Amino acid sequence: MNMAFLTEAVPARGVLLPVLPGIHRIVADNPSRMTYHGTNTYLIEDPDGVTLLDPGPDSAAHVADILRLTPAPIVRILLSHHHHDHLGATAALQAATGAPTFGWSPSPNAAFVPDVPVADGDTAAGMLAVHTPGHAADHLCFARPDGTVFSADHVMAWSSSIVSPPGGDMAAYCASLQRMLDRPDSLYLPGHGPALPDPHPYVRSLLHHRITREEAIAAAIAQRPAGTAALVEALYSKIDPVLKLAAERNVLAHLLKLQREGRAVPDGEVWRAA
Ligand SMILES: [Zn+2]
């Protein structure tokens, strides 16, 4: 099944890109096969100043852009999750602004201790925190009352998310996708790439895509025990070599989920049906 991914042109660097009234993004210059054109750092104009969501990679140029372009003083720094392309610039930005950091606690990155721990259902900067583990154990989406959600790396329009154990968990990821379907939101603003309007059909297809792949993996190992590399070879059509390792991580995540469900067991270098 082909996913209906959205693309966008390479965005301008070092400028404030309008997203919605009072919401801007700066796209960090860290493009890659995993980060698309780069990490989206969002600047949200709140009554008391700017809420910054996801500082981005550890880049002096990106930090300088943020400090130069922010329309008002940065009064708080929110983290969607601890991966370095989101967390990297946090220390420099906090040093420059003195703003408190908000994030899941404890962070899987022990070096990051949020000033304000955020749990599922908490309110941060007037937004509802939705714990959405799967891509990362500490992943949070932030939902605004107007139906806009900062979906970070849980749901991105340009690509499906990598779910790489042990931080990534396929069962949690699927449950977190279902969680998004149970919410009435109308627009997602992801951590990489363009905005996603009318997100539910897309989230449903993400979920369907994973279930279909998982059944294919279960069927393959029922026929013949196999390792992750062989399963990627068999199940992924003409995959870019660069993405092969990422695909293997996703396959491993499916196998671990199947193992927990009593449907697969590791057997030396290979996996077989339970
Ligand atoms: Zn990311």
Side-chain angles (χ1 to χ4, degrees), residues 30 34-35 38-40 54 80-81 83-86 135 152-153 156 191-192:
N30 61 331
M34 307 308 295
T35 58
T39 304
N40 291 331
D54 281 351
S80 65
H81 65 300
H83 289 167
H84 62 87
D85 57 319
H86 300 256
H135 171 70
D153 288 9
M156 302 181 288
H192 305 267

Side-chain angles (χ1 to χ4, degrees), residues 86-102:
H86 300 256
L87 179 68
T90 302
L93 275 170
Q94 184 163 38
T97 62
T101 55
F102 291 63

